[in-house]
Amino acid sequence: MTTEKISGLSAAIPTDLLIGGKWVAGSEGARFDVIDPADGKTLCTVADATAADATAAIDAASGVLPEFAAMPPRQRAEILRTAFEAMTKRLDDIALLMVRENGKALTDARAEATYAAEFFRWYAEEAVRIDGNYTTAPAGANKILVTRQPVGVALLITPWNFPAAMATRKWGPAIAAGCPTILKPAAETPLTALLIAQILMEAGLPDGAINILPTKKAAPISETALADPRVRKLSFTGSTEVGRSLLKLAADNVVNTSMELGGNAPFLVFGDADLDAAVDGAMLAKMRNGGEACTAANRFYVEESVADRFAEKLAAAMSGMTMGRGDDDGVKLGPLVNEATVAKVDRLVTEAVTGGARALVGGERPDGDGFFYPATVLVDVAEDADCLTEEIFGPVAPIVTFTSESEAVRKANETPFGLVSYVYTGDLGRGLRVSEALESGMVGINRGVISDPAAPFGGMKQSGIGREGAHDGLLEFLETKYVAFTP
Ligand code: NAD
């Protein structure tokens, strides 16, 4: 087993593939670099999985399926509970590891580590709540017995922006349901998932119940897995573009899919809102994770009567976002994950400014090492600016004004995405009315953070299919079976 000592962590972490309960080098023995976004240098190397490794992982997962599906729910629950406690004990290590491989500020990383562990606690509680039903058919001739069974071997694919929480949000319900899994983490951030996989194995999972395949070459893994009839589930979190191509692959074998895709969240501020609370909420909705969140507020629509005051207050708050290496003292904004992400943010800001926007704060990429971009507020943004239609995925807040409730709702809904929306108003009736009209799977009324393991997370339109978290997240890994019989 190859391990790496990462600076600041209490123990070395595994950097091999996990297949059938063993840490292995992979069929070709190749490794790839994991980069520290704060300086662009190599942090360590990780084993690079191949299509043959995917087949080996499917062999292991399908081999353990009967045993894992039959394991008493209480036993699966206790494995998750043990893993929750172990994650809580190793919170500092998990948080620091995310700072190292993802770049995020330590405060964000600690919040994510806590949130990620909560999925294990929540699904430990849900594992013993898999329900069924027993009724008499209306005509009286027979009984209707409804039970739930694990859907089977699942392929899990996660993005780099929440390296811990996106993995536990899938592992938690899959383990609770009794589904063996094969996780392919993002190539930018495989280390956190490897550390949590080690914690899960130490908590008592049977060999093969979780397998993990870091790789630089994702396509051969998904193509192999989705062509294999033993794989019955795909749970993907990532961009709509990649999600769409995976849905096409999944169509051939009619694989059950859960898709958590991209967002383009509108943040509406009405003239009757408490502006200080709206700015606090905007800072959370925009700046959590440096703006690299599917839930990040992407477009601010502010009622004209309060737009100047809101913009000034937001710019003042944004100018307090000290930028630097994520674990340096006082840093609130770490680097973005890689060069491509900074280049995209820079392009969107430049395009908006060329189209007439003004930066009240930020707006220029700094010189030097690492993938940094400063907190930025843009006003006078043209309505067709790319930063309003594309996911910015960085610390940039473009502000546009509106004059009526219907105009605000229309602008908010003018997107193919529909993950989350935020509404700030002093009138709860209006908040509820607007939230019903908004085409998104989630709405925060006078709140800048909505994520909670106990709540159903997911999108409408091209932001996804299915829900994660809550009881709904468990149902995604279960098949409903109906048995008709006459007693
Ligand atoms: P991405 O789509 O580029 O990558 C996501 C994952 O898919 C990574 O593991 C990547 O390696 C993998 N991948 C890429 N091509 C693949 C292929 N052909 N086969 C199999 N796997 C493949 O997304 P990203 O840049 O890592 O993450 C950012 C995106 O994720 C944003 O669009 C964001 O909104 C979205 N996201 C959504 C949610 C949600 O819950 N809705 C949560 C977090 C992130």
Side-chain angles (χ1 to χ4, degrees), residues 1-79:
M1 171 178 172
T2 315
T3 60
E4 289 270 357
K5 183 81 181 81
I6 305 290
S7 78
L9 266 72
S10 68
I13 54 162
T15 56
D16 280 338
L17 316 178
L18 176 65
I19 299 177
K22 295 193 175 55
W23 295 96
V24 296
S27 70
E28 288 176 4
R31 299 182 71 78
F32 67 93
D33 291 342
V34 179
I35 306 296
D36 180 344
D39 56 19
K41 297 197 176 113
T42 299
L43 192 59
C44 68
T45 67
V46 167
D48 198 352
T50 63
D53 297 318
T55 302
I58 297 165
D59 290 345
S62 53
V64 78
L65 173 62
E67 176 198 339
F68 198 40
M71 183 184 272
R74 175 72 74 206
Q75 205 176 328
R76 293 199 301 265
E78 293 197 340
I79 292 169

Side-chain angles (χ1 to χ4, degrees), residues 189-227:
T189 58
L191 302 173
T192 307
L194 289 165
L195 172 55
I196 301 172
Q198 186 181 39
I199 288 172
L200 274 171
M201 290 310 293
E202 286 170 4
L205 274 183
D207 291 350
I210 59 164
N211 303 274
I212 175 161
L213 302 178
T215 182
K216 264 288 204 203
K217 302 175 291 295
I221 305 292
S222 54
E223 284 162 14
T224 303
L226 293 172

Side-chain angles (χ1 to χ4, degrees), residues 110-302:
R110 290 187 66 84
E112 182 185 346
T114 304
Y115 172 57
E118 284 297 334
F119 282 103
F120 287 168
R121 174 151 67 172
W122 173 260
Y123 283 107
E125 291 157 355
E126 287 296 293
V128 290
R129 314 257 181 272
I130 298 172
D131 60 353
N133 204 352
Y134 181 60
T135 53
T136 303
N142 65 288
K143 297 291 180 186
I144 296 171
L145 176 65
V146 179
T147 60
R148 300 195 198 274
Q149 297 177 333
V151 65
V153 172
L155 173 66
L156 315 177
I157 301 178
T158 50
W160 47 259
N161 60 343
F162 292 101
M166 296 303 95
T168 59
R169 200 165 76 171
K170 298 187 189 304
W171 270 329
I175 292 167
C179 291
T181 59
I182 297 146
L183 172 73
K184 195 216 77 61
E188 292 84 352
T189 58
L191 302 173
T192 307
L194 289 165
L195 172 55
I196 301 172
Q198 186 181 39
I199 288 172
L200 274 171
M201 290 310 293
E202 286 170 4
L205 274 183
D207 291 350
I210 59 164
N211 303 274
I212 175 161
L213 302 178
T215 182
K216 264 288 204 203
K217 302 175 291 295
I221 305 292
S222 54
E223 284 162 14
T224 303
L226 293 172
D228 191 315
R230 294 173 296 174
V231 174
R232 294 308 315 143
K233 173 84 196 178
L234 166 66
S235 177
F236 172 77
T237 300
S239 62
T240 298
E241 188 189 357
V242 172
R244 198 178 283 118
S245 70
L246 292 173
L247 279 170
K248 287 181 184 154
L249 278 183
D252 282 345
N253 279 344
V254 195
V255 174
N256 177 322
T257 57
S258 300
M259 311 299 284
E260 294 288 348
L261 308 178
N264 181 6
F267 190 105
L268 311 186
V269 182
F270 287 92
D272 59 6
D274 173 337
L275 276 199
D276 291 322
V279 170
D280 289 348
M283 290 301 290
L284 289 170
K286 177 74 252 180
M287 296 304 289
R288 195 166 67 106
N289 231 26
E292 291 176 309
C294 54
T295 51
N298 209 56
R299 308 168 281 150
F300 289 80
Y301 295 114
V302 185

Side-chain angles (χ1 to χ4, degrees), residues 95 99 104-113 321 326-327 331-333:
V99 172
K104 65 180 68 187
L106 188 58
T107 42
D108 281 331
R110 290 187 66 84
E112 182 185 346
M321 294 298 291
D327 58 330
V331 165
K332 294 182 179 157
L333 176 60

Side-chain angles (χ1 to χ4, degrees), residues 367-381:
D367 294 331
D369 292 336
F371 310 124
F372 290 96
Y373 199 91
T376 298
V377 175
L378 297 176
V379 292
D380 301 334
V381 180

